[in-house]
Amino acid sequence: MLIAASPVPLTFPGGRDLIGILPELVLGGAFLLLMLLDLVIPASRRSWLAGFALLGIAATFGVTIWAWFDANPGRLVYSGSFAYDRFALFVDAILLVSAGLVVMISPNYLNRRGIHYGEYYALILAATLGMMLLAGATSLMVIFLAIELLSLALYVLSGFSRHEERSQEAALKYLLLGGFASGFLLFGMALIYGETGHTQLAQIAAAIQGQTTLTVDPLLLAGVLLLFIGFAFKISAAPFHSWTPDVYQGAPTSVTTFMSVTTKVAAFAALVRVFTYTFDGGGTHFYQHWEPVVALVAITSMVVGNIAALTQTSVKRMLAYSGIAQAGYILIGVAVGPVLLPSGQTSSFGTIGVLYYLAAYAVTNIGAFAVITIMAGRGEDLDSYDGLRGLAHRRPFVAASMALFLFSLGGFPPTAGFFGKFLVFTAAINAGQVPLALWGIATSAVSAFYYLRVGLLMYQRPAEGAEEYRWSRTGFSGSAVLVATTAGTLILGVMIVLVYTAATASLKGLIV
Amino acid sequence: MNVSTASILVLLVLLFPLAGAALNGLLGPVFGRRFVNIAGTVSIFASFLVACLVLATVVGAPSGHGAITVRLWDWINLGGGTNLSVGMDFTLDALSALMLMVITGVGFLIHVYSVGYMEHDTGFARFFSYMNFFIFSMLTLVLAADLVILIIGWALVALSSYLLIGFWHDRPTAVAAARKAFITQVIGDVALVIAAFLIVLNTHTLSLPNIFARTQAFPAGGALVTGVCVLLAIGAFAKSAQFPLHTWLPDAMEGPTPVSALIHAATMVTAGVYLIARFHVLFNLAPVAEGMVACVGMGTAVMAGIIALSQIDIKRVIAYSTMSQIGLMIYAVGIGAYSAGMFHFAMHAVFKALLFMAAGNVIHALHDEQDIRLMGGLHARMRWTHLAFAAGSFALGGFFLFSGWFSKEDLLGFGTLSGPGPAPWILYAVGVGVNVLTGLYAFRLYFTVFQGEPQTARGFGVKEAGYPMLIPVVILGALSVIVAWPLQFPLPNTLHVFSDFLSPVFAGSQSPLLHDPSFGLALVALVIGSAASLLGIGLAMRLWYEHRPDPQVVLASLPRVIPLLSYNKFYFDEIYDRALVQPVRAVARTARRVVEPDVMDSWVQGIGELLRGFSLDLRLVQTGLIRDYASIFTVFAVVLVVVWVFIAR
């Protein structure tokens, strides 16, 4: 039997294609250059590599900003398998800022842990590259490749503390379970391909529009759900989250900082593009078939994440469960999807909420993890709650910013976290999914307990005779990161319009 | 004035105090006293210079263009069918320019004074940080052109007031006073927020200019607008210490004296007057609420005046006089004489800040003695403070050609015709009585403290205050003599610079209560009012200077109930304690004994334990074994897909 000819003939990439992946090209170039530099730079000068990595990220960020203005309107490149649009660029910007902040806090931490190897920065760039590709991917193939690229880099990074059993264990767990989840993802893709005959999102969307609401193809739906499960693993949504606490705790803290934020950001970007905008099904309202499942996973995540966080005694595990819960909140925005208003217009409020939440989560969570990265003592991680006891009396500024991050994670105004939650809850209520918002509000109340508990610990006086944790010096780069994340957390809470406008614009430019 | 100039002015005037607060709070303890003194005062002075620019631009603007509202940025703008929009909106007009001048001008002098006053206090950095923050909050409140921003400013001044009253947090009385002030303020906050909800519900906007443009949502004299105005007035009463929410102000004197001068005399307590003036468009539609406001104001003026006559703590006497004078301002804005109310506010800010600071000098000189019975004879040893205090007393007492005379007579003159039937005349008569009372208590204080002979040995050894504490007092003393001369004369068709300046703000709508008196009537009212003030001052002189008759004799001849009521402040604290505090505490005690352990605890603990139990169960699942994780993953994935795709749908 003959395989049907591709409707788009294969061509050599032209200039327009290359411009479409210009940010990715620059970052990829930086990645290769960094690998070479590692060979010539002596071991005592490894911090220079951080500088070069930062330069590469800054250059990519600059190109991304330029592309933001160029990609209006955006277009599909490489025969429709990659989107050069503002949506991807908005997500790229979040990813690059996050990567930059992580690179800034890394050298001191890695030196103190004795694991300062040159490939660290190359791996960070490789993972970021994978994430940027994921944010723009419009073909199931590119999505899969991007996920594998970012995952492979993260597997290695998780086990970066080579001499530490816990880190090795984390890497192995992540690798095995990640491979397992990739199986589900691929199986889902295979089913979708089998049922629609296409791998490109635009054509899949067209094929789904051909369905009728009454007789939806069960295999197609099974494929969609399996694909979602694959993504749910990446965003660590319950009940597909089991790996998260162990890996977050075992991996070096700077790596945890990086992957806790960026993986979620990239995977959510893909979720929005694939589910909210490809599987919506246009007039057939196909989304009604998968939305309840997403809502269910969102609720499970919020409940499991928040409740499990209550009894943790390790900061990293607590933040891991907090991340699971946050994934649940962001999923609300995905579950709400595009809402058909009575006026006939489509409101994409939920998606704006997702984007805002991601930006807010990125600055806040990086800030919180940065504090325990920067403060960690020589040769160890700052992990137990006791390590933060009395921090406020020794490092008032660090403790104050940590308190701010905790408030933001808990969703207190006027911080970034409040408006993230506010937007997704509002979207849920607008869409008539009030129970979803109520679950969110109730679990937020629970979350205040464990966030504020850590906050209180920092402001407690250490017990008489008790030994204080030996916190490290903040250092210049550490201070800069804390100042930046503090400012970001406040600005996203006080000047909502800045990011809100950008998110709205990026959504308008979204193409499938 | 164009939008960008206005935006820059607004930003600057707000940012200087905020930066001062941040610098003093964060770096003050590191850099020490000299840094804090400079950062604390210079920030307010810079803000004052910007305020002068604002005033100049408002005055210099062609007529009809003196007001501008700028949106610095959208705070929340959700579009998408929700129409929720909160802007960082600020208004520059004559009213806010006036408030800016008073807050930053008087505020600056009080900051300079604080440099001397806090010289030996170790908490200086915290103090200046709070003071700067208060100025920032107060400026936010008076500049706000959006209900949300207004409420934020409103709440922030209450917060800074709380922090500053309780500044000496190791004194239980100070902490209790701070708490009392804050709780009372919150009652007002609640009323204000409910009013805001009603306004938004009916006008669908949070922006003040839009609200005032959509008055068709409020039928004139209707229940809705009356309710809104009564709620706004309750908010104003709580902030301005008016009956029945007045009991916090005397206790607030537990704070350092510069705080009393700045917050509890010159600025924050007059925010209620400002609020009513700002919402005059609504109040003009609700004559009933206006009448209520006028009566409460005048009633508070009398009550506080009577109480002030018998108090023995120098700061509390001044605090009650503040309450009484704010009562007059509230009365003025109640009858729709907004310019007159604001004029008295401005004059009062000058002479009352002066009185507080001069009293602070006395307290300092006598090593923290506040009992006026133990003072006396200070005029010779504290020459400059005495002169300034005398000027302030004449201004407060409404002596001819002192600043208080202009503003008080102006305000009373409007009272003669405002309102239906005999009501205005009754209120006017009471107002004349308040003039007598004011003269009495102002000069009782002056004669007792500065004239006569020192009552204690310490009184002979007092020294004049140092320059930082003296110069602001002397400046304000001079001002309280001359400041009113070029501004306003309390007769129609004479000098009216001040009310002409404010008139564009209030030109849009006119209170149905307000009727300008004719020249003749105003002249008669002026003569009567001035005579009443003189009578009060003269009586005070007879009683407390010449002791003919001795005050004790007079006291004995009065029915016992009057001094008892006055000295015990009409028993309000006791009544509130019995009627509100004790019952609430009783309920709380019962709740703690009965409801708490049996109901709440079992519930709350139960939920807590339940969640904890879940949490621990979840930990059991977290075995750390990859095979378990993979199994969980698979089971959930398969069940989810199979159940949803093939069974549930």
Side-chain angles (χ1 to χ4, degrees), chain A residues 98 110 197 216 218 242 248 257 286 289 421-422 439 446 483:
Chain A
S98 309
L110 296 175
V216 66
S242 318
Y248 279 18
T257 313
F286 180 70
H289 296 294
K421 285 202 172 72
F422 176 74
W439 276 105
V446 173
V483 167

Side-chain angles (χ1 to χ4, degrees), chain B residues 439-520:
Chain B
L440 269 172
Y441 66 65
F443 280 85
R444 165 176 175 262
L445 190 64
Y446 166 74
F447 288 126
T448 318
V449 173
F450 285 96
Q451 300 297 338
E453 289 304 315
Q455 300 296 307
T456 55
R458 260 189 313 205
F460 291 99
V462 297
K463 279 209 283 288
E464 181 62 289
Y467 286 117
M469 292 168 69
L470 204 54
I471 293 169
V473 169
V474 172
I475 293 176
L476 286 178
L479 275 181
S480 54
V481 183
I482 58 166
V483 68
W485 293 352
L487 292 180
Q488 186 95 338
F489 196 80
L491 281 177
N493 307 321
T494 51
L495 179 75
H496 275 174
V497 174
F498 187 87
S499 53
D500 289 347
F501 170 65
L502 278 185
S503 63
V505 179
F506 303 117
S509 76
Q510 162 99 12
S511 168
L513 294 184
L514 188 68
H515 297 285
D516 287 348
S518 65
F519 188 87

Side-chain angles (χ1 to χ4, degrees), chain B residues 339-351:
Chain B
S339 294
M342 294 314 291
F343 187 44
H344 195 46
F345 147 74
M347 298 303 110
H348 173 260
V350 171
F351 65 69

Side-chain angles (χ1 to χ4, degrees), chain B residues 7-24:
Chain B
S7 308
I8 292 169
L9 288 177
V10 166
L11 265 181
L12 286 179
V13 83
L14 287 174
L15 278 184
F16 281 122
L18 187 63
L23 280 177
N24 286 327

Side-chain angles (χ1 to χ4, degrees), chain A residues 182-219:
Chain A
S182 290
F184 282 81
L185 193 78
L186 267 183
F187 191 28
M189 288 177 175
L191 284 177
I192 294 168
Y193 176 66
E195 293 306 299
T196 61
H198 296 291
T199 57
Q200 283 172 5
L201 296 184
Q203 288 154 348
I204 294 173
I208 290 176
Q209 296 225 0
Q211 305 251 335
T212 59
T213 26
L214 289 174
T215 60
V216 66
D217 182 345
L219 283 183

Side-chain angles (χ1 to χ4, degrees), chain A residues 173 180 184 216 218 221 225 233 239 242 246 289 307-308 311 317 321 397 422-423 493-497 500, chain B residues 26 73-78 82 611-612 614-615 619 622 624 626 629-630 633-634 636-637 640 644-646 649:
Chain A
K173 268 183 193 162
F180 199 69
F184 282 81
V216 66
L221 186 55
L225 293 187
F233 176 85
S242 318
D246 295 6
H289 296 294
I307 287 183
T311 48
R317 283 185 90 84
Y321 281 112
F397 293 108
F422 176 74
L423 289 172
V494 178
M495 297 180 76
I496 296 129
V497 173
Y500 188 84
Chain B
L26 296 175
W73 67 83
D74 277 327
W75 187 25
I76 307 171
N77 188 354
L78 295 188
T82 58
L611 292 179
R612 223 180 106 76
F614 281 150
S615 188
R619 289 181 85 156
Q622 207 71 26
I626 295 177
Y629 292 177
F633 190 110
T634 318
F636 275 108
L640 197 68
W644 180 251
V645 176
F646 298 105
R649 264 181 339 105

Side-chain angles (χ1 to χ4, degrees), chain A residues 444-469:
Chain A
S444 294
V446 173
S447 76
F449 175 80
Y450 59 85
Y451 289 129
L452 296 189
R453 186 167 152 214
V454 175
L456 276 180
L457 270 180
M458 294 189 304
Y459 283 85
Q460 266 172 11
R461 294 231 170 248
E464 209 50 55
E467 207 162 306
E468 265 181 359
Y469 188 87

Side-chain angles (χ1 to χ4, degrees), chain A residues 87-343:
Chain A
F87 177 77
L89 295 166
F90 180 85
V91 176
D92 288 352
I94 301 180
L95 291 170
L96 289 166
V97 170
S98 309
L101 292 171
V102 170
V103 166
M104 282 174 76
I105 56 169
S106 294
N108 283 339
Y109 172 79
L110 296 175
N111 276 330
R112 284 200 301 271
R113 294 286 311 269
I115 49 172
H116 202 176
Y117 307 118
E119 64 268 30
Y120 176 88
Y121 303 104
L123 286 167
I124 292 268
L125 292 199
T128 313
L129 180 60
M131 292 160 184
M132 287 169 65
L133 287 171
L134 183 58
T138 54
S139 148
L140 295 181
M141 290 296 99
V142 180
I143 290 175
F144 183 73
L145 287 176
I147 285 186
E148 289 310 299
L149 176 53
L150 76 92
S151 298
L152 284 172
L154 287 179
Y155 299 150
V156 182
L157 282 170
S158 314
F160 206 72
S161 182
R162 291 174 203 171
H163 313 294
E164 201 189 356
E165 215 169 82
R166 214 168 53 161
S167 179
Q168 296 301 299
E169 189 188 325
L172 194 63
K173 268 183 193 162
Y174 197 18
L175 171 68
L176 289 175
L177 290 169
F180 199 69
S182 290
F184 282 81
L185 193 78
L186 267 183
F187 191 28
M189 288 177 175
L191 284 177
I192 294 168
Y193 176 66
E195 293 306 299
T196 61
H198 296 291
T199 57
Q200 283 172 5
L201 296 184
Q203 288 154 348
I204 294 173
I208 290 176
Q209 296 225 0
Q211 305 251 335
T212 59
T213 26
L214 289 174
T215 60
V216 66
D217 182 345
L219 283 183
L220 172 65
L221 186 55
V224 167
L225 293 187
L226 287 171
L227 189 62
F228 173 69
I229 288 166
F231 278 122
F233 176 85
K234 281 292 159 209
I235 59 170
S236 58
F240 311 106
H241 66 283
S242 318
W243 61 278
T244 317
D246 295 6
V247 174
Y248 279 18
Q249 192 179 21
T253 314
S254 63
V255 174
T256 313
T257 313
F258 179 67
M259 66 179 170
S260 70
V261 166
T262 48
T263 321
K264 273 202 185 67
V265 172
F268 266 108
L271 259 182
V272 165
R273 200 188 286 277
V274 177
F275 281 78
T276 315
Y277 286 88
T278 305
F279 295 159
D280 64 335
T284 65
H285 299 307
F286 180 70
Y287 64 86
Q288 288 170 348
H289 296 294
W290 54 262
E291 269 186 8
V293 174
V294 177
L296 184 69
V297 172
I299 293 172
T300 318
S301 274
M302 293 187 284
V303 171
V304 169
N306 282 317
I307 287 183
L310 289 176
T311 48
Q312 299 304 319
T313 51
S314 136
V315 187
K316 284 165 86 177
R317 283 185 90 84
M318 182 276 275
L319 285 172
Y321 281 112
S322 134
I324 294 167
Q326 307 282 352
Y329 295 119
I330 310 175
L331 270 181
I332 293 180
V334 179
V336 165
V339 177
L340 205 62
L341 293 176
S343 61

